[in-house]
Amino acid sequence: MPPPADIVKVAIEWPGAFPKLMEIDQKKPLSSIIKEVCDGWSLANHDQFALQHADSSNFYITEKVGKFCFGAFQLHERIQSSSMDAKLEALKDLANYSRDVTFAQEFINLDGISLLTQMVESGTERYQKLQKIMKPCFGDMLSFTLTAFVELMDHGIVSWDTFSVAFIKKIASYVNKFASDISILQRSLAILESMVLNSHDLYQKVAQEITIGQLIPHLQGTDQEIQTYTIAVINALFLKAPDDKRQEMANILAQKQLRSIILTHVIRAQRAINNEMAHQLYVLQVLTFNLLEDRMMTKMDPQDQAQRDIIFELRRIAFDAESEPNNSSGSMEKRKSMYTRDYKKLGFINHVNPAMDFTQTPPGMLALDNMLYFAKHHQDAYIRIVLENSSREDKHECPFGRSSIELTKMLCEILKVGELPSETCNDFHPMFFTHDRSFEEFFCICIQLLNKTWKEMRATSEDFNKVMQVVKEQIMRALTTKPSSLDQFKSKLQNLSYTEILKIRQSERMNQEDFQSRPILELKEKIQPEILELIKQQRLNRLVEGTCFRKLNSRRRQDKFWYCRLSPNHKVLHYGDLEESPQGEVPHDSLQDKLPVADIKAVVTGKDCPHMKEKGALKQNKEVLELAFSILYDSSGQLNFIAPDKHEYCVWTDGLNALLGKDMLSDLTRNDLDTLLSMEIKLRLLDLENIQIPDAPPPIPKEPSNYDFVYDCN
């Protein structure tokens, strides 16, 4: 007779003893099971023991989540051992077990964080005396200590504000002392970044202890992971710097030639850039461009003589005005008339007082800064554009002033100047790292493109908005190719003439041809349910394959991954934590947790997600909100997701809604439906090629006068 379903046989090991095969009743409380196991080996204090899975996960078994772990109490004792070998082995285990949140909570409850910080602050001096005779042991010990600390802090149980200046100084010193020890350097940089991102007080202390000059050498090495950690610390310092200090920091970065070092040793290094490095470069790009926000949101003061002098300088460079006439009343009138005429040629809307053109924000004074940069650094092109347009008919001239203002506003929108960097984006542009004044150079290329497109379109003043739309499309299409330099970007734009844009648009319209006749619409309506069922099956198949999700926090480097997939019978969601991002699918039996689909009450997205209602800069990020969704089950259970990208977000929300019998409403479903419907319609209409389909059915003819032509089959 087979044993009851609740009785399972489990092999249990204890160090120094033979393993035992024990029968465990799953209905019993976990504490009772552990007591039975301890009694079998005559172990006292069973409440200080737990069960540990024998594979590499080392997770707890707990009543709540069913995971495997090792007793925190024993490890807490072992890392205080006087034996260096025993201490090293204990710290190695601690670094491994600390990934589990249940273990972390237990160890922290034993004041484990304080123990680790004391070891870093004071204990390492004692170990350093032994460094000459046992250097590998010391390096490994410190590495495991810092790794455990990072893992424990990543769970968000302990506040970062609790750490002393002595601890910060020690961690900062490791950035210089252990440049050759990759693991120690990695952990030290990760801790510094987390301190800066999670505490304003710690930001100030870290900023006093670590300088850009100390970080730069780590970018000049060959280890991309260390380079990534280094840029992450720089980004954190940049992001958390007060507004009045941010420009000062940017000046220091320029003095230290950070841009050229990154270009040489990172972007143009002979290796591929991984996703995390791409993200950090994107963040640095965004933070650099955000320095323009102040000028972008500053209105021009028409009474400010220094600001007015910039407009005078634009006029002087364009028209090379002779020395000013004397101040007689007649000359004053003549001068005003001349200024008004020249300001009209420069393309300002307000010819009398052009300062009024710069009172709109955005782009504010940033537009005037760009115009002056163009006039001074690309003088020939500036003069050519101004004089070329001033010689045209009024309605055909491309107004340089108005164009510059609108173009600056457009470029700020494209580059999202003033917005916080996304936690999930890695869309950096190498060309912006090739010049110290990349935004200004970007403007100079685009203003010349605008003038060229204006001529190609033979535009008039009424076509201004149409020209701007075409120019934006040209810029966006060129940017998607990720040009490696500004010259390459300029070359891409040369190939995207107005004629080429028209060809591209026509081709896209043909590919997305929309049949609007009534018979076609009726055919679409008839086959749409079949197409929707096909899309539904594809979504469910993708859920069966599963997806690796990242547990996002304020520090991305020590990423936590977890995997979720649907069972082949579509009845259970399997999920569990991973040590690293997997290559391919993760088997169901290696995922520790299960959620029956029948228990799912609802699927919520965006701001309605429980993990998006928490406080913190990360949770307020717009792009993260767009990738967030949660499964609600039982009375208060929740499974929170942040999709790796928009495509996976749509796949999972569609699939989950399909499981719950709800409509699939994502943008991806709409696009797939349109594409598949269009393809199916075209396939079914192949036999009707070159035959015009009428909008209405043909009229029914009159009845014949007799039916003599009918053949009687009987």
Side-chain angles (χ1 to χ4, degrees):
M1 181 177 177
D6 293 321
I7 303 297
V8 294
K9 290 187 176 182
V10 178
I12 300 179
E13 298 176 336
W14 174 253
F18 287 108
K20 290 185 179 182
L21 186 64
M22 302 183 67
E23 288 191 350
I24 291 180
D25 185 350
Q26 297 181 76
K27 289 183 177 179
K28 288 185 177 181
L30 181 60
S31 57
S32 298
I33 295 172
I34 293 175
K35 185 177 185 305
E36 288 179 11
V37 173
C38 290
D39 291 344
W41 273 299
S42 301
L43 299 174
N45 301 322
H46 69 274
D47 56 332
Q48 295 179 1
F49 290 84
L51 297 176
Q52 176 193 18
H53 197 23
D55 67 7
S56 59
S57 64
N58 299 314
F59 285 142
Y60 274 116
I61 299 176
T62 67
E63 298 280 6
K64 182 178 179 182
V65 294
K67 290 184 177 178
F68 293 81
C69 92
F70 190 78
F73 178 80
Q74 282 195 328
L75 263 183
H76 189 273
E77 295 296 317
R78 286 170 57 203
I79 62 176
Q80 300 180 72
S81 171
S82 58
S83 167
M84 296 297 280
D85 290 338
K87 184 187 288 284
L88 178 62
E89 194 63 31
L91 287 169
K92 182 179 179 180
D93 289 342
L94 179 63
N96 194 19
Y97 302 149
S98 295
R99 292 192 300 270
D100 180 73
V101 65
T102 313
F103 172 87
Q105 184 68 68
E106 292 294 324
F107 187 78
I108 289 169
N109 288 343
L110 295 170
D111 210 17
I113 290 287
S114 297
L115 178 59
L116 293 180
T117 54
Q118 287 168 16
M119 291 172 63
V120 171
E121 289 175 20
S122 58
T124 49
E125 274 81 357
R126 182 160 52 87
Y127 303 145
Q128 281 175 312
K129 294 176 183 177
L130 304 173
Q131 188 174 3
K132 290 183 180 180
I133 58 174
M134 40 191 319
K135 186 172 182 179
C137 178
F138 167 72
D140 290 344
M141 190 176 297
L142 183 56
S143 175
F144 291 139
T145 303
L146 295 178
T147 301
F149 177 84
V150 168
E151 296 289 353
L152 290 168
M153 291 303 297
D154 264 358
H155 295 295
I157 300 170
V158 179
S159 170
W160 283 92
D161 288 310
T162 58
F163 299 107
S164 66
V165 174
F167 180 73
I168 299 169
K169 286 179 179 288
K170 186 64 67 176
I171 296 297
S173 71
Y174 293 158
V175 173
N176 297 321
K177 285 182 182 178
F178 294 97
S180 59
D181 192 318
I182 301 300
S183 60
I184 294 177
L185 180 57
Q186 242 178 38
R187 275 63 169 182
S188 299
L189 290 169
I191 292 170
L192 290 175
E193 184 202 2
S194 291
M195 286 178 173
V196 172
L197 291 176
N198 288 285
S199 169
H200 177 69
D201 290 339
L202 287 185
Y203 154 74
Q204 295 177 321
K205 293 172 184 175
V206 172
Q208 292 171 359
E209 294 300 326
I210 200 82
T211 65
I212 300 300
Q214 292 171 311
L215 296 172
I216 291 292
H218 301 309
L219 292 173
Q220 296 171 314
T222 57
D223 190 296
Q224 186 171 125
E225 197 166 359
I226 291 298
Q227 291 174 326
T228 304
Y229 278 76
T230 303
I231 297 176
V233 174
I234 293 172
N235 285 339
L237 290 168
F238 210 155
L239 182 65
K240 292 300 180 179
D243 293 341
D244 57 331
K245 295 287 185 181
R246 205 165 287 167
Q247 186 60 57
E248 181 182 326
M249 184 174 175
N251 295 336
I252 294 172
L253 295 178
Q255 291 171 10
K256 298 294 182 181
Q257 298 183 320
L258 176 69
R259 179 197 60 76
S260 60
I261 290 171
I262 289 176
L263 182 66
T264 303
H265 296 279
V266 178
I267 296 175
R268 292 181 177 171
Q270 298 301 312
R271 60 173 180 269
I273 293 177
N274 60 37
N275 287 339
E276 188 52 45
M277 173 59 84
H279 172 74
Q280 293 303 331
L281 292 173
Y282 152 79
V283 172
L284 183 59
Q285 173 185 293
V286 171
L287 295 176
T288 302
F289 284 140
N290 280 356
L291 293 171
L292 303 169
E293 184 182 10
D294 184 53
R295 294 294 283 174
M296 181 182 77
M297 300 308 294
T298 300
K299 296 181 179 181
M300 185 172 185
D301 181 1
Q303 307 304 318
D304 189 318
Q305 188 58 43
Q307 295 180 2
R308 292 169 63 89
D309 286 344
I310 298 175
I311 298 177
F312 293 152
E313 182 67 5
L314 289 172
R315 175 188 168 277
R316 185 196 66 76
I317 295 173
F319 304 111
D320 195 21
E322 298 178 359
S323 58
E324 300 294 342
N326 58 45
N327 290 330
S328 64
S329 59
S331 297
M332 183 66 73
E333 291 298 321
K334 182 179 178 181
R335 184 168 59 182
K336 285 183 179 180
S337 174
M338 181 175 64
Y339 280 5
T340 301
R341 182 195 67 215
D342 289 348
Y343 291 148
K344 184 176 183 297
K345 290 180 180 179
L346 280 170
F348 290 113
I349 296 174
N350 192 318
H351 307 152
V352 178
N353 186 6
M356 299 303 296
D357 287 14
F358 301 96
T359 55
Q360 179 189 357
T361 58
M365 288 294 292
L366 185 59
L368 188 58
D369 294 342
N370 284 339
M371 294 168 70
L372 183 63
Y373 181 91
F374 181 50
K376 286 189 171 182
H377 293 83
H378 300 270
Q379 195 170 112
D380 291 344
Y382 167 70
I383 293 172
R384 186 186 72 250
I385 288 176
V386 173
L387 296 183
E388 196 177 82
N389 284 291
S390 63
S391 62
R392 293 180 187 161
E393 295 180 40
D394 284 354
K395 67 175 185 176
H396 283 290
E397 69 177 11
C398 176
F400 174 73
R402 181 185 176 192
S403 299
S404 297
I405 293 168
E406 290 301 318
L407 179 63
T408 300
K409 183 178 179 181
M410 179 201 295
L411 298 183
C412 289
E413 290 172 356
I414 291 173
L415 298 177
K416 300 182 179 179
V417 174
E419 294 186 20
L420 284 174
S422 163
E423 277 292 328
T424 56
C425 184
N426 53 16
D427 186 27
F428 84 98
H429 295 278
M431 72 177 192
F432 291 130
F433 290 85
T434 62
H435 201 285
D436 289 329
R437 304 288 294 274
S438 57
F439 184 81
E440 290 86 345
E441 289 293 325
F442 185 42
F443 168 84
C444 293
I445 293 171
C446 293
I447 192 66
Q448 295 177 75
L449 167 72
L450 194 155
N451 188 63
K452 173 176 170 286
T453 303
W454 185 282
K455 289 188 290 185
E456 291 172 349
M457 293 178 67
R458 298 181 181 179
T460 63
S461 54
E462 288 81 10
D463 300 320
F464 185 86
N465 291 333
K466 291 181 182 178
V467 175
M468 295 303 295
Q469 289 173 2
V470 173
V471 169
K472 183 173 184 178
E473 185 174 346
Q474 290 170 313
I475 294 170
M476 294 299 290
R477 288 185 182 277
L479 284 176
T480 55
T481 65
K482 293 295 179 71
S484 60
S485 66
L486 290 163
D487 287 338
Q488 196 177 89
F489 174 67
K490 193 172 183 179
S491 176
K492 297 281 185 186
L493 290 176
Q494 290 293 331
N495 297 328
L496 284 170
S497 63
Y498 177 57
T499 304
E500 185 63 24
I501 291 293
L502 289 179
K503 288 180 182 177
I504 293 172
R505 286 178 174 180
Q506 184 178 4
S507 174
E508 289 177 349
R509 275 197 299 269
M510 290 178 65
N511 291 335
Q512 299 172 359
E513 186 176 1
D514 186 19
F515 302 100
Q516 294 298 329
S517 62
R518 197 173 77 182
I520 300 298
L521 292 176
E522 289 177 356
L523 180 58
K524 279 186 177 181
E525 189 175 339
K526 182 179 179 181
I527 63 178
Q528 182 166 315
E530 179 185 335
I531 300 295
L532 282 172
E533 182 61 27
L534 182 65
I535 294 172
K536 174 184 174 181
Q537 290 305 316
Q538 188 273 338
R539 299 293 191 264
L540 293 176
N541 289 339
R542 279 287 293 108
L543 265 62
V544 171
E545 292 174 14
T547 301
C548 178
F549 297 93
R550 175 185 277 125
K551 291 184 176 180
L552 284 180
N553 52 35
S554 58
R555 182 183 57 77
R556 289 174 48 115
R557 246 73 35 230
Q558 292 289 332
D559 282 333
K560 307 292 182 183
F561 297 97
W562 68 289
Y563 200 88
C564 188
R565 62 180 300 181
L566 181 66
S567 62
N569 63 6
H570 300 172
K571 292 185 176 181
V572 178
L573 282 173
H574 298 263
Y575 63 96
D577 293 339
L578 302 176
E579 292 186 23
E580 57 185 3
S581 183
Q583 302 297 322
E585 293 183 20
V586 176
H588 292 95
D589 53 9
S590 66
L591 300 173
Q592 305 94 7
D593 301 298
K594 297 179 182 180
L595 173 61
V597 171
D599 290 348
I600 298 176
K601 304 301 181 187
V603 176
V604 294
T605 61
K607 292 182 179 179
D608 295 328
C609 297
H611 59 316
M612 291 294 108
K613 293 178 181 178
E614 302 168 15
K615 294 183 179 179
L618 169 67
K619 306 300 183 280
Q620 304 304 319
N621 188 288
K622 180 182 176 183
E623 294 196 33
V624 173
L625 280 172
E626 292 175 351
L627 298 176
F629 62 99
S630 297
I631 295 174
L632 306 182
Y633 60 93
D634 295 338
S635 57
S636 59
Q638 60 195 43
L639 191 58
N640 298 321
F641 298 76
I642 295 179
D645 52 49
K646 191 67 176 177
H647 181 271
E648 287 296 316
Y649 170 85
C650 293
V651 166
W652 274 84
T653 52
D654 283 343
L656 292 170
N657 281 324
L659 285 173
L660 299 178
K662 297 182 179 179
D663 292 336
M664 299 179 292
L665 303 174
S666 74
D667 294 338
L668 183 62
T669 292
R670 284 196 293 271
N671 293 337
D672 286 351
L673 181 62
D674 290 343
T675 301
L676 293 172
L677 272 176
S678 177
M679 290 172 62
E680 184 66 20
I681 292 289
K682 288 177 181 179
L683 285 172
R684 296 195 181 196
L685 297 180
L686 281 176
D687 292 339
L688 298 178
E689 191 172 0
N690 298 323
I691 297 177
Q692 186 174 0
I693 300 173
D695 291 333
I700 299 174
K702 294 180 181 179
E703 290 190 27
S705 58
N706 62 68
Y707 292 88
D708 294 342
F709 57 86
V710 176
Y711 179 75
D712 187 356
C713 296
N714 297 323

